[in-house]
Amino acid sequence: MNGSAAALAARSDSRLGRQFGLLWAGQTVSNVGDRITLFVIPTLMIFAMGASAFQVGLISMAQYLAIPVLSLVAGVLADRWDLRRMLIACDLVRFVAIAAIPVAYWQGFLSVPLLFCCVVVISAATVFFNIGYVPTLTVIVPRTELVRANSRLETSRMAAEVGGPAIGSGLYRGLGVAALVVDAATYLFSAVCLLAMRPTGAKPARTEGLRVRLMVGIRQNWRDPVLRRCTAGTLLANIGGPIFVTQLPVLAYQGLGLSVGAFGTIMTVAAVGAVIGALVAPAVSRRLGPARVMSWAMPLHSLCGLGILLTAVAPAVVVLAATLTSYLFFFAWYNICSQSVRQARMPVADQAVIYAAYRTVTWGVIPVSAFLGGVVVSLLAAHVDIRTAVTATMIGGTVIGLSAYLPLAPVQPMLDRAAAEEREGTADGRP
């Protein structure tokens, strides 16, 4: 396993270094594991456990439950704990929790409540991992290379979006519930990669209480004008985006009458577009500036969503494939550049708790937004056909996403002014 990790790490750009290569290798493999989990668990529930739609929905909810509940606490603890050890522990917890599912099934005592508990544990460990790897990246990668590093991580994530469901499907057809053993092994691989990294360094002793540290993260996101605008922009994006994405299958299946195979092809093509977007983002960022790319990527991303209106005059498969491909292409730009802008702005010692507060606000709204989108469609469908109801709701989501440009647009000029003032201060001999 160590040899495989080293081989993958060696392919990383030399400017990012071996430390990043190991982190990237582990993340790449565990991202595939994430997609296997998302495919295999509901498949197992439906075909092996005879679960109802409500039970499947309950387990799906469990996957996001820890984000609003634990993110702030995870940020406080990540600021106090050794980051490398924390990430390794998270991977090992996920390894055990996922491996427990097939074992329970083979022993005859797997149930929906037990599965719910396992998924909650996996979700909690994932929250801690995601909070911890953001400051870890800042420690091991020079700030000038953050866009490139985030681009590689985003490319891996999007590549997993492309191949993960197909891998999960193949594993389940070939191995049944044992596919989850392979899934668990991906987290073990990630843990080994992290173990091969050098320690990230001792943390300063923290004497503040939990409440004080929580308030540091919340206040910093509000007081810093760049972080405040990034938070507001992402919040608007996460209100509108989930409405569009969660209603897309309804439009495809019920509104346009597409087959499962056709919609699966659309999703695969779109994920390829996201990978391409992640690959070209560093070059665009170097030319225009990451904050400028971030501010334009969101309205471009949202405008692409308006492409669904063309289903009235062109083949639905072609329209949806082109719409979603461009939609995800620009969203990859936004993810990479917004992450890099925030990482460069946050003090290293407080990154985890600041990111945790940001994540709690911007991700905590996603399940609410998705739910409200469904409610709006249901209300409209009582008066118009389902296609019109879904299309109108999805367009409403894109309009909300477009409004994210308002808080994001001034960020690059703000950073340019700050850099100019810093250069003037250096020229004048001021500290």
Side-chain angles (χ1 to χ4, degrees):
M1 192 81 70
N2 269 320
S4 300
L8 280 171
R11 299 173 189 170
S12 177
D13 191 294
S14 59
R15 281 179 289 178
L16 295 176
R18 179 177 180 273
Q19 294 286 87
F20 173 76
L22 289 165
L23 179 67
W24 185 26
Q27 274 290 88
T28 298
V29 174
S30 62
N31 279 337
V32 176
D34 290 342
R35 305 314 302 174
I36 295 173
T37 303
L38 290 174
F39 181 89
V40 171
I41 286 183
T43 304
L44 170 69
M45 292 182 68
I46 293 168
F47 292 105
M49 300 175 64
S52 66
F54 172 78
Q55 290 171 325
V56 173
L58 188 67
I59 298 301
S60 297
M61 182 194 71
Q63 295 171 344
Y64 299 97
L65 196 60
I67 294 175
V69 174
L70 289 179
S71 289
L72 279 172
V73 174
V76 173
L77 296 177
D79 276 339
R80 301 184 179 192
W81 293 345
D82 180 281
L83 289 172
R84 174 171 159 270
R85 291 180 180 177
M86 173 180 162
L87 297 182
I88 292 171
C90 290
D91 276 333
L92 294 178
V93 168
R94 290 190 287 187
F95 166 74
V96 172
I98 292 176
I101 297 171
V103 171
Y105 178 79
W106 291 326
Q107 296 300 315
F109 59 86
L110 181 62
S111 62
V112 171
L114 177 59
L115 190 59
F116 182 90
C117 292
C118 289
V119 171
V120 166
V121 170
I122 296 165
S123 174
T126 299
V127 166
F128 274 83
F129 188 96
N130 289 339
I131 295 295
Y133 100 80
V134 171
T136 300
L137 193 64
T138 310
V139 170
I140 66 177
V141 173
R143 292 205 169 195
T144 55
E145 299 296 330
L146 282 173
V147 171
R148 287 158 44 77
N150 281 310
S151 172
R152 280 150 178 72
L153 289 168
E154 184 71 7
T155 300
S156 296
R157 189 178 73 83
M158 291 300 177
E161 295 276 353
V162 176
I167 294 171
S169 175
L171 286 173
Y172 189 81
R173 288 198 304 268
L175 301 175
V177 70
L180 289 173
V181 176
V182 179
D183 182 7
T186 65
Y187 295 107
L188 189 60
F189 178 88
S190 177
V192 171
C193 289
L194 292 165
L195 192 62
M197 290 172 61
R198 293 190 304 273
T200 53
K203 288 291 190 71
R206 294 289 186 191
T207 58
E208 309 101 312
L210 176 64
R211 182 177 177 277
V212 172
R213 291 300 296 161
L214 291 176
M215 292 307 298
V216 167
I218 295 170
R219 282 198 302 265
Q220 190 67 15
N221 275 287
W222 176 253
R223 288 178 176 174
D224 185 286
V226 171
L227 296 182
R228 182 171 66 248
R229 289 181 176 278
C230 288
T231 301
T234 305
L235 178 62
L236 288 169
N238 284 352
I239 292 173
I243 295 173
F244 184 94
V245 172
T246 57
Q247 293 305 313
L248 184 62
V250 181
L251 175 66
Y253 294 139
Q254 298 182 10
L256 300 172
L258 298 184
S259 67
V260 174
F263 188 61
T265 300
I266 290 169
M267 296 299 290
T268 299
V269 170
V272 172
V275 171
I276 296 172
L279 288 173
V280 302
V284 179
S285 175
R286 282 194 301 272
R287 186 175 181 85
L288 301 177
R292 186 170 289 109
V293 175
M294 172 188 72
S295 64
W296 278 105
M298 183 49 61
L300 288 171
H301 156 79
S302 299
L303 281 171
C304 289
L306 298 178
I308 61 173
L309 294 172
L310 297 177
T311 56
V313 296
V317 171
V318 175
V319 169
L320 289 188
T323 297
L324 198 58
T325 297
S326 54
Y327 187 83
L328 295 182
F329 177 91
F330 289 114
F331 195 58
W333 284 15
Y334 182 77
N335 280 342
I336 292 165
C337 292
S338 64
Q339 182 86 303
S340 302
V341 168
R342 288 180 52 77
Q343 285 172 325
R345 191 74 177 182
M346 295 184 288
V348 173
D350 296 324
Q351 277 214 5
V353 73
I354 295 172
Y355 178 63
Y358 163 84
R359 188 176 172 89
T360 299
V361 172
T362 58
W363 281 60
V365 74
I366 291 176
V368 177
S369 176
F371 174 76
L372 289 178
V375 171
V376 172
V377 170
S378 299
L379 292 174
L380 291 178
H383 306 284
V384 296
D385 63 273
I386 188 67
R387 178 173 174 174
T388 303
V390 176
T391 301
T393 303
M394 293 173 70
I395 296 304
T398 66
V399 171
I400 297 173
L402 279 170
S403 67
Y405 177 74
L406 298 176
L408 295 172
V411 173
Q412 187 66 54
M414 291 169 63
L415 295 178
D416 291 341
R417 285 195 299 271
E421 291 171 1
E422 184 177 347
R423 287 193 299 269
E424 290 174 4
T426 304
D428 294 341
R430 297 195 297 268

